[in-house]
Amino acid sequence: MENNNSFKEEKKEWGKEVYTLLSWFKTEKVKNAKVLVVGTGALGNEVLKNLALFGVGNIFIVDFDTIEYSNLTRSILFRESDADKGLFKAEVATNRIKEINPTINVQYIIGKLATDVGLALYRSMDVIVGCLDGNLARLQLNRICMRAGKPWVDGGIFNLSGTAKVFIPGVNCYECELPEKAKKAIFNTFPCGGYARKNEESGRVPTTPVIASIIGAIQAQETMKLIHQEELDNGVFSSLCGNWFSYDGLHLSAKLYKSDAFDEYCASHEYWNPVVKFATLSADSTVSETFEIIKMQLKIEKLVINLRNDKFIDKIVTRPDNKRYFPKLPESKIPDYVENTPELFVKFQKDVEQNEIENITDKFPYPELTLREIGIPYFDILQVTTENGYIYAELSADEIRYFS
Ligand SMILES: [Zn+2]
């Protein structure tokens, strides 16, 4: 029996024989690394498979979508039976990469990157990997990574071609790289938050499993380099950061282009600091509890919570009939609300007004709502205006959900 167990223990030292041959590979660093992957489409599948094979010890997966039959041709982690059952991509991907490597911790969040994942979770990561198929989502992730002060690895694929990029706050920025025209096009195509965003996120892009493998592999490799910061500093290898990688599969060429735009006036360069931990504050706290806790710990009289990702919508009025609806929901949940309110769904394309609340003061009319109900995810960081300036309040009671 004992022999049997020790054999298993040996087996559990993932990749020991192979990876010790790589002079730069530091098993402990990789085992302790925390990587969050947003998007489990074709690219996400490849990135996750590779991170599991490397033995990255703590992987977080974010995706809001379910598996469809059309995903199966490009997704190594998904099976037909998953599509039959309409299972969530994030959950299935989690289980499959745990099968590949049972020694790693994998957790998932079914939701959207900007409104369902707390900033403190992003801030706890070593690297964030974007496997996204829309530029609006890239803009959002870029802003979040700037606030968290964390590097992110971007991948994009189309047809037989693709790109990979690495963004590090203070060095380069996705938004700064976008020509003004392209930026305007993103916002003009998706002018008002929720409804359009939902359509964009479900957009389909023609890709192949081969280009997903190529670009996903580069993303995973750049992630491994960022985990080995000391080796990067010592020149054992160089990061892609500062350049971007472009692969043209149609005519087979690969090139590096400069990627070092960092404009000091860019609105995205907000680093949320200092972060103050509030041990008893959770997204399940009510608004009035939150005010009390923050006032008491900071010994202040007045504060305003700024909703920076998701506005709160308490009222919708349709025109010209002046009918009122009271969703009392974050803006990101309005598309579902509209879809489930048939009479509103017909009118929503026409003339509607919604009452948006962006700043929560102590006059907020719904103090009994929880932070979750007004659109704040677990383990988030609140931007709070006080009489002494901004502070960033971490919902530290939620940490236990992800790290125990
Ligand atoms: Zn920028």
Side-chain angles (χ1 to χ4, degrees):
M1 201 61 185
E2 254 176 41
N3 279 342
N4 223 351
N5 276 343
S6 66
F7 173 69
K8 276 187 189 158
E9 283 310 308
E10 231 172 74
K11 245 178 54 176
K12 274 190 174 176
E13 284 190 52
W14 183 261
K16 192 180 171 197
E17 305 81 4
V18 179
Y19 289 137
T20 45
L21 297 176
L22 298 168
S23 58
W24 55 268
F25 191 95
K26 302 290 179 290
T27 309
E28 278 309 297
K29 274 188 192 170
V30 178
K31 216 161 91 178
N32 294 328
K34 299 186 190 78
V35 177
L36 187 142
V37 178
V38 192
T40 47
L43 272 179
N45 265 256
E46 291 296 320
V47 167
L48 287 166
K49 173 206 73 182
N50 286 329
L51 296 180
L53 289 172
F54 270 125
V56 170
N58 305 281
I59 300 176
F60 295 78
I61 304 176
V62 177
D63 197 303
F64 64 90
D65 217 351
T66 53
I67 300 172
E68 291 176 29
Y69 295 103
S70 60
N71 303 135
L72 299 176
T73 52
R74 303 179 297 281
S75 309
I76 189 70
L77 303 174
F78 302 154
R79 307 283 174 264
E80 192 176 291
S81 57
D82 305 325
D84 289 342
K85 294 176 200 145
L87 299 178
F88 282 103
K89 290 178 176 176
E91 183 179 6
V92 172
T94 297
N95 295 333
R96 295 279 146 70
I97 64 170
K98 274 187 187 164
E99 270 173 38
I100 292 175
N101 186 344
T103 70
I104 57 177
N105 302 312
V106 191
Q107 297 181 56
Y108 65 89
I109 295 175
I110 295 169
K112 294 179 182 176
L113 71 97
T115 51
D116 298 311
V117 186
L119 189 67
L121 186 63
Y122 284 108
R123 206 168 168 266
S124 311
M125 296 298 120
D126 296 300
V127 186
I128 291 126
V129 188
C131 301
L132 306 163
D133 58 9
N135 289 337
L136 183 63
R138 287 191 178 91
L139 270 179
Q140 290 175 326
L141 187 59
N142 183 64
R143 287 182 181 181
I144 287 166
C145 291
M146 288 284 173
R147 288 177 191 172
K150 293 292 166 176
W152 73 283
V153 182
D154 180 35
I157 52 176
F158 183 81
N159 201 346
L160 301 185
S161 301
T163 56
K165 304 174 184 183
V166 175
F167 296 102
I168 299 180
V171 180
N172 59 349
C173 162
Y174 174 78
E175 188 162 337
C176 288
E177 254 173 31
L178 277 182
E180 208 46 47
K181 236 174 139 179
K183 207 156 56 174
K184 272 193 187 137
I186 295 173
F187 289 120
N188 286 343
T189 318
F190 311 109
C192 57
Y195 198 70
R197 197 176 297 158
K198 186 167 176 170
N199 292 333
E200 190 242 6
E201 281 178 347
S202 60
R204 294 227 168 83
V205 180
T207 60
T208 73
V210 173
I211 190 62
S213 295
I214 293 168
I215 298 299
I218 302 279
Q219 285 182 279
Q221 187 159 282
E222 289 306 311
T223 302
M224 291 304 289
K225 290 179 189 170
L226 290 168
I227 290 169
H228 290 84
Q229 189 57 50
E230 211 181 309
E231 287 71 17
L232 265 176
D233 294 342
N234 294 336
V236 176
F237 37 53
S238 328
S239 168
L240 176 61
C241 183
N243 294 297
W244 58 279
F245 173 77
S246 162
Y247 175 83
D248 173 5
L250 289 170
H251 307 291
L252 196 64
S253 70
K255 281 185 192 150
L256 287 181
Y257 295 94
K258 238 186 173 11
S259 161
D260 56 0
F262 200 79
D263 176 355
E264 62 175 309
Y265 301 108
C266 172
S268 270
H269 305 180
E270 278 181 38
Y271 177 42
W272 283 21
N273 200 47
V275 171
V276 182
K277 288 178 186 284
F278 289 83
T280 55
L281 206 51
S282 156
D284 287 327
S285 308
T286 64
V287 170
S288 64
E289 283 164 358
T290 304
F291 269 74
E292 260 173 53
I293 291 170
I294 296 179
K295 277 181 184 172
M296 205 150 74
Q297 183 170 327
L298 297 183
K299 299 186 176 66
I300 53 172
E301 293 298 317
K302 276 201 159 177
L303 62 102
V304 179
I305 298 170
N306 307 311
L307 299 179
R308 295 292 308 277
N309 290 321
D310 220 355
K311 295 166 193 159
F312 181 75
I313 312 294
D314 63 344
K315 189 168 72 179
I316 294 177
V317 184
T318 56
R319 305 278 185 229
D321 59 358
N322 275 333
K323 190 138 191 238
R324 283 147 204 265
Y325 300 84
F326 300 94
K328 293 189 204 163
L329 286 171
E331 193 182 28
S332 64
K333 305 281 184 283
I334 293 296
D336 290 331
Y337 175 79
V338 171
E339 258 176 41
N340 295 326
T341 315
E343 131 195 29
L344 181 59
F345 185 67
V346 175
K347 296 180 201 160
F348 206 72
Q349 311 293 342
K350 296 176 191 159
D351 198 5
V352 293
E353 257 174 48
Q354 56 184 30
N355 187 43
E356 300 173 347
I357 301 177
E358 286 182 81
N359 302 309
I360 308 287
T361 64
D362 46 14
K363 295 196 175 62
F364 183 64
Y366 319 102
E368 73 289 354
L369 292 181
T370 65
L371 296 180
R372 288 249 300 153
E373 286 167 326
I374 64 166
I376 308 284
Y378 286 119
F379 205 27
D380 202 11
I381 295 173
L382 307 174
Q383 187 190 56
V384 180
T385 310
T386 73
E387 54 242 45
N388 310 318
Y390 285 134
I391 66 116
Y392 299 94
E394 183 188 278
L395 310 183
S396 306
D398 295 331
E399 185 173 8
I400 197 164
R401 294 181 155 267
Y402 304 107
F403 306 104
S404 43

